[in-house]
Amino acid sequence: MTWGKTALAIGIVCAIGAGAAGCSVAAVGRCVDYVSMTPAEQARQATLVVDADVRSTDRTVEAFGRYRVYEATVTASRKGGKLHDRIDVIATSDQCTTSGQPVEYVDGDPLAEPGSYRLSLTRVRGGGPWQLVVPGAAERLDG
């Protein structure tokens, strides 16, 4: 088989395999290998670092996967925030994401329990909610 025919055969096999696996171009997500960061490195990389009271909402947002939106009321500003601002936050997934599907986490969503957290955040592209700068960039403050 010539190189051109081999490439075509591989392409057809991949297309059939993706279809059989339930994949489609519209459902493409992303896989990101985040660099492990200390809390100090997270703070340096973040645009916004705040202590905040966090609670779940019934809203979701699509950002390469469906994320639960949390409402955070800022109680202390460490970098870039204003005291008592209310901001929307999502917990960055540590797993590959698929557009339209709920995101997954290896050890569970780090913001699932309401409470006080120190959050190292960056803005979601396109002006959406704030997101953890890396997965796990939420330090529980109240036990």
Side-chain angles (χ1 to χ4, degrees), residues 68-90:
R68 173 171 299 287
V69 176
Y70 294 91
E71 183 178 87
T73 302
V74 177
T75 57
S77 176
R78 309 246 171 222
K79 179 181 179 181
K82 296 179 186 169
L83 198 57
H84 301 297
D85 270 355
R86 283 198 176 139
I87 57 175
D88 288 338
V89 175
I90 61 173

Side-chain angles (χ1 to χ4, degrees), residues 39-40 42-43 48-54 72 75-79 89 110-111 115-121 132-133 136-142:
Q42 292 171 6
L48 181 67
V49 180
V50 295
D51 294 350
D53 293 328
V54 177
T75 57
S77 176
R78 309 246 171 222
K79 179 181 179 181
V89 175
L111 298 177
S116 294
Y117 293 86
R118 176 157 302 140
L119 306 171
S120 294
L121 304 165
L132 299 179
V133 69
E139 178 187 349
R140 182 76 186 222
L141 298 176
D142 60 357

Side-chain angles (χ1 to χ4, degrees), residues 45-68:
Q45 291 298 316
T47 305
L48 181 67
V49 180
V50 295
D51 294 350
D53 293 328
V54 177
R55 68 175 191 81
S56 182
T57 71
D58 60 356
R59 295 178 287 135
T60 61
V61 66
E62 175 65 30
F64 293 105
R66 194 168 56 236
Y67 283 87
R68 173 171 299 287

Side-chain angles (χ1 to χ4, degrees), residues 35 111 125:
V35 175
L111 298 177
R125 288 188 180 145

